[in-house]
Amino acid sequence: PFTVRFRMPGFVYHVTNAWEVDGRLEWDAFVSNLNPEREASQFELDTRRPVHTNLGGVFRFSVDLATRRAHKRLLAPGVQRVTFDAIDESRRGLPYDDAWFCANDQHEGHSSSVTHLDTRTGRALTWRTSERVFFRQPRFVARVGAGQGEGWLLVPAYSLDTTRLLVFEARGVEAGPVAVLAADARLPYINHGWAMRAE
């Protein structure tokens, strides 16, 4: 037997990236009020259950390593719903310019969305669909020989009947997918991460 404290107070921090620069430790994170009660209700493909929205904000935290003083600031005004995130993996542990977020706001907003964030300016551009579809972990694929943040964003999309892969211009997600690859089947449902089968 085990017990789950459904109403545990506090916040959840989904760290997007972290790095050290000029004597400071910095990291970006989506901070949400998600708790075990809401987390346990996110059975997206069971239509009898609601899909709660992760409400919060994308913040940048900074700690001065000499003085140990810390501060935070809202990095992305207006980006309040995040389920999954992605960055250019070549920038992991380094300062970076671009981040991507998927959100499944099917319970309250009846939509799912993909957002590109310019971390230098805080500008966020979003593409949204009202279709009953659930996005999973996005993946950035760099264009060969191109600059930082230039490439493709791959987003798995699940519905009750099928699985698709949406392909976006990474810095132009607001225009919608440039290609949709249909699996013609409902593939195994993944949460964070990706799955492959070798033949």
Side-chain angles (χ1 to χ4, degrees):
F2 63 93
T3 302
V4 177
R5 289 186 59 199
F6 281 122
R7 298 191 178 278
M8 181 177 66
F11 295 88
V12 175
Y13 289 71
H14 291 275
V15 177
T16 306
N17 196 17
W19 62 95
E20 183 181 345
V21 61
D22 298 330
R24 298 187 314 276
L25 177 63
E26 297 190 339
W27 69 96
D28 295 344
F30 179 73
V31 183
S32 85
N33 61 353
L34 193 67
N35 59 49
E37 180 181 29
R38 291 171 70 86
E39 182 76 35
S41 71
Q42 293 201 65
F43 296 96
E44 286 94 335
L45 298 184
D46 184 345
T47 57
R48 297 167 298 178
R49 295 178 179 268
V51 180
H52 287 288
T53 302
N54 299 357
L55 291 176
V58 180
F59 289 89
R60 175 159 292 176
F61 298 85
S62 180
V63 176
D64 186 303
L65 297 174
T67 65
R68 301 196 177 189
R69 291 181 179 246
H71 74 274
K72 69 176 182 180
R73 68 179 173 88
L74 187 63
L75 184 64
V79 178
Q80 296 179 304
R81 291 167 165 80
V82 171
T83 309
F84 301 102
D85 60 81
I87 66 167
D88 179 345
E89 289 299 322
S90 70
R91 304 303 300 176
R92 183 72 63 192
L94 300 169
Y96 69 116
D97 295 339
D98 303 278
W100 294 270
F101 303 99
C102 290
N104 295 308
D105 188 23
Q106 293 288 342
H107 181 52
E108 286 120 337
H110 307 291
S111 66
S112 293
S113 60
V114 180
T115 296
H116 169 245
L117 169 67
D118 184 328
T119 65
R120 298 160 300 178
T121 65
R123 184 181 184 205
L125 298 175
T126 299
W127 175 79
R128 184 172 283 105
T129 178
S130 58
E131 182 185 359
R132 183 77 170 174
V133 63
F134 300 94
F135 299 146
R136 307 322 291 168
Q137 189 79 44
R139 181 77 179 179
F140 172 77
V141 179
R143 184 179 284 120
V144 176
Q148 184 184 159
E150 295 180 9
W152 312 99
L153 189 71
L154 309 181
V155 180
Y158 289 78
S159 71
L160 292 174
D161 303 312
T162 189
T163 304
R164 287 167 283 166
L165 184 66
L166 309 183
V167 181
F168 296 84
E169 274 279 357
R171 284 188 167 169
V173 298
E174 72 280 4
V178 297
V180 179
L181 308 178
D184 294 324
R186 184 168 152 188
L187 298 180
Y189 191 61
I190 56 173
N191 197 10
H192 293 274
W194 280 63
M196 278 187 173
R197 185 177 71 184
E199 296 293 341

